[in-house]
Amino acid sequence: MDQELLLWVRGTGLQIATAVFVLGMSYRVLHLLLLGRKPSLAVARGSEWAGGLRTMWQRSFMLPSLSGRGLFTVIAGYVFHVGFLITLFFLSQHIDLFRAVFGFGWPALPRGVIDVAAVLAIGAMVALLVHRFIDPVKRLLSGFEDFLTWTLSFLPLLTGFMLLRNIGFEYLTLLTLHIASVELLMVVAPFTKLAHMFTTFMARWYNGAVNGFKGINA
Amino acid sequence: MSTSLQRGITTLLAQIDAPVATFFSTCVHCGLCAESCLFYTETQDPKYTPIHKLEPMRRLWQQEYTFWGKLLKKAGLSKPVTDEELTEWEPLVYDSCTLCGRCSLACPVGNDITYMVRKMREGMVASGHAPEGLKGATQRAIEQGSPMGVNLKTLKAQIKHAEKETGLTVPLDVEDADYMMVLSSAEVADYPEIISAVTRIFKQADVSWTLASDGFEGTNSGIQIGSSDLAADILGRIVHAAERLKVKYVISPECGHAYTALRWEGPNLIGRPYPFQVIHIIELLDELRSSGRLKTDSVDETRMTFHDPCQMVRRGGVIEQPRNLLKQVAPNFVEMPDAGVQNWCCGGGGGVSANHRAERLRIKVFSRKKSQLEAVDAKLLVTSCSNCRTMLLDGLELNHMDVEVIGLTELIADHLTDNAEGKAS
């Protein structure tokens, strides 16, 4: 039973999840683009594309003068995202998977680094969840979707960490749980704010394009 | 559902273009926009969080464009947008937002929240939800030509005064002049020295210019209340006058949103490019300065600082020019904290100053400008927007602060090289 589930999760399950993820995200992005945007008839002072591209990149590095809750949100946010991406793209087992699917890989980072990144990401996520409950602004903005996406993003990190260290359950069970949690995330992501992994760059482009048009470097 | 609510909802839905839908899709509910908003930072009230101001529109987007939203709506499980909700949102959209633009710079995922509030206002107006003061101002602008009731008679009286003071002629309705100067009602009514100032500057710099009797008002209540139709109507007067006089340039005055209306939104409002170019008065003065045509021969030693009008600087792109001009006449010019594109709003733009209901809140949030001024410790505050000027004066007086306020053009004119005609005031 266990073995069958694992085989399914590694095979058909992964195929379905990938299809839903790719098709869902593509549809989302395309649908947004096709809504269209009226070009401006005013005289441009600068370039939309230069502004758009610049903001796509630069907005990741903004750290405006913040205090308290703002600074916490930015730092915890960075720790989570960077930690998550490091474990996703630089764990040797993940790279092996990529190589099996796409035919190429890249150098992995040492396990020690991955361990630190994973723990920090998990810690940041917990801190961010707590903050979402106790901060008045976040409480006002938050709903079911925020807690759903938190859970779906948290489970792969948690089960992955447990899997690497063989904690809690036997190895094959942990493997099944981990892969299943990833597939769950992939299947739900396109229908939630997690689409921001792609649409962030579109939003930043539109924003930067307006500034670029006006000759403003911001 | 009432007709007006239906109209409002239809209008709100029509505002959802690719950018708006992308922004709603991308918001991760981090709340960082609150940190950048004057109305949140000075009150700590979460309801002033910028993205929260858009909640009715967000739900409409969700119910129209998202998988779960559409599903839940079909199942009868979604929360509709009601007239009561729009009434509740009116102060959020109009009293606690000046369209200053800081939130659009702060959002880590790149949402242009200001763009969205501007569009939200279109729906609010269509459903009849706008502040009384702003409705009145817009009505006066449409019917009388000015939200403050300033008319040609007022202008001519101020022109007469300026001609007496300077000994120069103020050109009116001169065809084929190079530049057509536009003013703001607040300048004509409260700061008419601008007319003398530009007359003397343009005389010295040998600029061919004119005012237009049928197109001298730059303020645009349509932009503030959020009605593109009314905004186009009001703007159309300037365009018509400029075409009638066949000028090459229209000068946008020391007024914030007039620049946004004229320079950036205008052609889109009237549906065609202009046959003339638009230049901000401060842009023009800086051009004259850098080409050597603007000559000053004295300075003001006072320790002074500059308040960046949001629509001119952060939203308009006229950032370095006021600084270049100040460096010419003010050896003790110092920048306040967050100067330039990140500067803080005076609290009165975007229609807030015409909205009596918003006065208490506006006065409260002046605390931010107050702390900037305390940090920079200047005796004189220079700015380039007549509305900012009034808001600043208000705030300074109520806070018993010993800081004077002056317009930049006026300051430059005060230090012009004396010539045979005209005198420094």
Side-chain angles (χ1 to χ4, degrees), chain B residues 133-411:
Chain B
L134 201 42
K135 281 182 182 168
T138 309
Q139 190 165 11
R140 281 189 299 276
I142 292 284
E143 290 172 0
Q144 300 173 40
S146 148
M148 289 172 74
V150 164
N151 55 23
L152 184 59
K153 241 170 69 191
T154 334
L155 176 67
K156 280 186 166 163
Q158 300 292 23
I159 287 178
K160 210 165 169 190
H161 182 84
E163 287 181 332
K164 219 186 198 152
E165 195 189 42
T166 61
L168 299 168
T169 312
V170 176
L172 183 64
D173 292 329
V174 173
E175 271 189 37
D176 296 309
D178 285 343
Y179 294 86
M180 182 179 100
M181 177 87 199
V182 170
L183 299 166
S184 58
S185 286
E187 285 174 310
V188 178
D190 301 326
Y191 310 112
E193 52 270 23
I194 186 73
I195 301 174
S196 305
V198 296
T199 307
R200 291 178 51 241
I201 293 172
F202 291 158
K203 175 75 181 166
Q204 193 221 58
D206 196 29
V207 171
S208 142
W209 73 290
T210 184
L211 288 171
S213 58
D214 58 341
F216 63 86
E217 161 69 300
T219 46
N220 197 317
S221 296
I223 294 279
Q224 294 173 337
I225 205 171
S227 164
S228 290
D229 288 336
L230 296 176
D233 249 348
I234 296 167
L235 184 90
R237 294 166 193 162
I238 299 177
V239 177
H240 177 81
E243 288 175 333
R244 177 177 72 83
L245 296 174
K246 302 190 269 299
V247 296
K248 299 200 186 80
Y249 295 88
V250 170
I251 305 174
S252 196
E254 285 193 324
C255 167
H257 75 280
Y259 189 59
T260 294
L262 196 48
R263 178 67 176 89
W264 302 116
E265 282 205 38
N268 302 316
L269 291 171
I270 63 174
R272 59 179 172 92
Y274 298 144
F276 51 81
Q277 290 181 62
V278 175
I279 188 168
H280 194 281
I281 178 67
I282 300 303
E283 273 185 284
L284 177 57
L285 293 187
D286 192 51
E287 264 181 34
L288 296 173
R289 176 202 63 85
S290 66
S291 63
R293 288 165 70 187
L294 176 71
K295 296 186 196 31
T296 57
D297 65 359
S298 59
V299 297
D300 186 334
E301 305 261 346
T302 318
R303 184 177 166 87
M304 64 179 81
T305 190
F306 185 70
H307 162 76
D308 294 279
C310 304
Q311 301 304 320
M312 174 181 139
V313 179
R314 175 171 40 256
R315 307 288 289 169
V318 182
I319 309 164
E320 290 309 316
Q321 292 92 330
R323 286 149 174 98
N324 297 340
L325 290 162
L326 277 163
K327 284 181 193 140
Q328 177 140 329
V329 298
N332 290 316
F333 163 61
V334 283
E335 299 273 20
M336 61 174 76
D338 297 327
V341 163
Q342 287 285 350
N343 212 331
W344 294 84
C345 183
C346 69
V352 170
S353 61
N355 177 357
H356 185 74
R357 182 185 62 200
E359 194 178 330
R360 204 124 169 257
L361 181 60
R362 169 176 65 78
I363 289 166
K364 178 155 174 67
V365 302
F366 186 80
S367 49
R368 174 59 61 154
K369 190 55 63 181
K370 176 169 182 248
S371 66
Q372 282 183 292
L373 289 171
E374 281 168 347
V376 77
D377 191 30
K379 284 265 141 262
L380 180 63
L381 180 53
V382 188
T383 193
S384 288
C385 165
S386 44
N387 190 48
C388 289
R389 199 164 162 181
T390 305
M391 297 298 104
L392 293 167
L393 281 167
D394 233 11
L396 291 166
E397 190 184 313
L398 286 163
N399 284 276
H400 311 292
M401 293 174 75
D402 184 22
V403 180
E404 287 184 32
V405 186
I406 193 172
L408 180 54
T409 305
E410 196 191 324
L411 179 67

Side-chain angles (χ1 to χ4, degrees), chain B residues 15-37:
Chain B
Q15 299 305 309
I16 299 172
D17 55 3
V20 172
T22 304
F23 300 147
F24 280 134
S25 300
T26 309
C27 174
V28 290
H29 313 138
C30 74
L32 280 171
C33 53
E35 295 299 309
S36 66
C37 178

Side-chain angles (χ1 to χ4, degrees), chain A:
Chain A
M1 200 355 235
D2 261 333
Q3 285 242 346
E4 270 182 41
L5 185 57
L6 177 57
L7 282 171
W8 186 88
V9 147
R10 284 180 72 181
T12 315
L14 190 56
Q15 286 171 340
I16 294 174
T18 308
V20 173
F21 183 81
V22 170
L23 289 174
M25 286 295 188
S26 304
Y27 176 79
R28 200 91 199 257
V29 169
L30 212 61
H31 186 257
L32 289 173
L33 285 172
L34 288 174
L35 277 172
R37 170 184 164 250
K38 259 175 88 175
S40 178
L41 295 169
V43 174
R45 194 189 264 135
S47 154
E48 279 198 330
W49 269 98
L53 289 172
R54 185 191 301 122
T55 300
M56 275 167 86
W57 169 249
Q58 248 184 23
R59 205 48 83 94
S60 290
F61 305 107
M62 47 153 266
L63 201 63
S65 56
L66 294 166
S67 56
R69 54 174 301 279
L71 201 58
F72 165 79
T73 301
V74 172
I75 292 177
Y78 276 129
V79 171
F80 157 65
H81 280 91
V82 173
F84 188 93
L85 292 170
I86 285 178
T87 58
L88 176 60
F89 289 113
F90 292 101
L91 177 66
S92 61
Q93 287 91 325
H94 288 164
I95 297 174
D96 288 338
L97 175 62
F98 275 82
R99 191 176 287 114
V101 175
F102 295 108
F104 71 94
W106 50 86
L109 283 173
R111 255 295 296 277
V113 174
I114 304 291
D115 276 345
V116 171
V119 168
L120 285 177
I122 288 171
M125 281 203 85
V126 173
L128 283 166
L129 184 68
V130 171
H131 199 236
R132 199 169 270 293
F133 274 112
I134 65 176
D135 175 64
V137 171
K138 284 188 182 170
R139 245 206 328 264
L140 183 65
L141 298 177
S142 302
F144 172 73
E145 197 211 20
D146 299 284
F147 302 112
L148 173 70
T149 52
W150 185 91
T151 307
L152 293 176
S153 308
F154 187 72
L155 287 175
L157 273 171
L158 183 68
T159 55
F161 186 75
M162 288 166 71
L163 175 63
L164 280 177
R165 295 184 164 273
N166 236 308
I167 304 169
F169 303 97
E170 66 159 24
Y171 178 77
L172 288 179
T173 309
L174 284 171
L175 188 57
T176 310
L177 281 173
H178 180 62
I179 300 174
S181 70
V182 171
E183 288 170 8
L184 199 56
L185 174 63
M186 286 170 80
V187 161
V188 180
F191 305 98
T192 65
K193 70 179 190 185
L194 291 177
H196 81 273
M197 62 180 89
F198 296 107
T199 63
T200 292
F201 300 99
M202 293 169 65
R204 287 177 178 182
W205 189 91
Y206 286 127
N207 195 322
V210 170
N211 285 326
F213 189 84
K214 296 176 178 177
I216 304 166
N217 188 347

Side-chain angles (χ1 to χ4, degrees), chain B residues 49-77:
Chain B
T49 301
I51 197 73
H52 182 66
K53 293 166 184 166
L54 297 157
E55 178 59 17
M57 194 165 157
R58 186 197 67 81
R59 279 218 315 287
L60 286 173
W61 159 79
Q62 191 181 48
Q63 289 162 22
E64 188 74 16
Y65 291 107
T66 70
F67 180 80
W68 291 112
K70 284 190 286 193
L71 197 67
L72 288 171
K73 187 169 179 207
K74 274 217 176 79
L77 292 170

Side-chain angles (χ1 to χ4, degrees), chain B residues 112-130:
Chain B
D112 188 347
I113 303 171
T114 315
Y115 179 82
M116 296 161 93
V117 175
R118 170 71 182 84
K119 282 176 162 278
M120 172 102 182
R121 289 186 179 187
E122 295 277 341
M124 297 296 279
V125 167
S127 62
H129 292 278

